[in-house]
Amino acid sequence: MRVQINRTILQLVQGDITREEVDAIVNAANSTLLGGGGVDGAIHRAAGPQLLAETRTLGGCATGDAKISRGYRLKARHVIHAVGPVYNPRDPDVPVLLVSAYRRSLEVALANSVTSIAFPAISTGVYGYPVREAAPLALGAILDFCAQHEPITLVRYVLFDAPALAQHEKALRAVAAERRLIIVEG
Ligand code: APR
């Protein structure tokens, strides 16, 4: 499923983000940037040990922020390490920090001449963010940013399993309708 806003195509796919052939893939990292499980572990395994050697030099990353590194053995030239919030339904900052993680990733992409980028569903794994709540925030943040910033031509949102893909497709229909954007199936 995909939608176009200005010159940007936002595409939802199911797959393994480490295989994406885009300028940059986004990592759902933690604030140490020293690796972990989930997509963080998968990206570090696929990129090889030089990735950790570089992320050790980045001085960590605040929640809601993002930092860039090289991609090493990955097909992607760069990895943008974004730190999402740990889900807490009683903390009003949590949705703000999730949106910020997406927006900062796109700002860092633009600052490094990245025009094609792949995102995982940040915070929806170990960090416990319900996909039903995270998906509209993530997709809305991406569409709103790309509505104002032309150079990004492709955002591929990579879901690891079919239920997550289905929930994001439902969210994209709603978010696109709010912005009077046309969904293209397939
Ligand atoms: N490709 C795409 N998506 C993936 C992949 C992959 N190879 N592996 C996992 N995912 C999905 C998960 O299914 C989930 O939907 O990425 C989403 C984010 O889950 P996590 O990787 O657990 O990330 P997050 O919830 O943001 O928690 C971050 O987990 O791995 C640690 O070091 C990381 O401490 C940090 C925390």
Side-chain angles (χ1 to χ4, degrees):
M1 175 182 284
R2 64 187 186 281
V3 68
Q4 177 155 0
I5 187 157
N6 282 350
R7 289 182 54 227
T8 307
I9 297 286
L10 170 58
Q11 190 183 23
L12 299 183
V13 298
Q14 182 179 337
D16 173 353
I17 199 168
T18 66
R19 298 177 185 284
E20 285 298 323
E21 296 193 46
V22 288
D23 291 345
I25 62 172
V26 175
N27 180 20
N30 60 60
S31 57
T32 70
L33 297 187
L34 299 180
V39 74
D40 197 1
I43 288 174
H44 275 270
R45 279 192 298 278
Q50 291 170 290
L51 178 59
L52 180 58
E54 181 177 355
T55 57
R56 280 190 200 288
T57 69
L58 298 180
C61 184
T63 299
D65 199 359
K67 290 191 176 178
I68 197 165
S69 75
R70 290 175 52 202
Y72 300 103
R73 293 184 194 149
L74 289 164
K75 296 189 182 93
R77 192 171 78 230
H78 292 289
V79 179
I80 294 175
H81 305 266
V83 181
V86 174
Y87 184 63
N88 174 354
R90 287 177 300 286
D91 181 348
D93 287 343
V94 159
V96 174
L97 288 166
L98 184 68
V99 166
S100 173
Y102 284 94
R103 183 176 298 124
R104 282 292 302 134
S105 296
L106 290 163
E107 288 171 352
V108 167
L110 278 191
N112 290 274
S113 309
V114 164
T115 59
S116 60
I117 184 169
F119 279 101
I122 297 170
S123 287
T124 65
V126 167
Y127 281 0
Y129 218 120
V131 173
R132 175 181 24 79
E133 292 181 38
L137 293 171
L139 297 170
I142 292 166
L143 289 175
D144 291 345
F145 185 90
C146 294
Q148 278 115 35
H149 297 84
E150 299 252 316
I152 303 269
T153 55
L154 174 65
V155 176
R156 188 170 291 146
Y157 201 103
V158 183
L159 286 312
F160 204 41
D161 56 55
L165 176 62
Q167 285 188 293
H168 279 79
E169 288 176 338
K170 184 171 172 230
L172 184 57
R173 285 192 189 91
V175 166
E178 286 164 13
R179 293 161 176 77
R180 297 195 187 346
L181 299 173
I182 309 295
I183 293 276
V184 176
E185 300 293 340

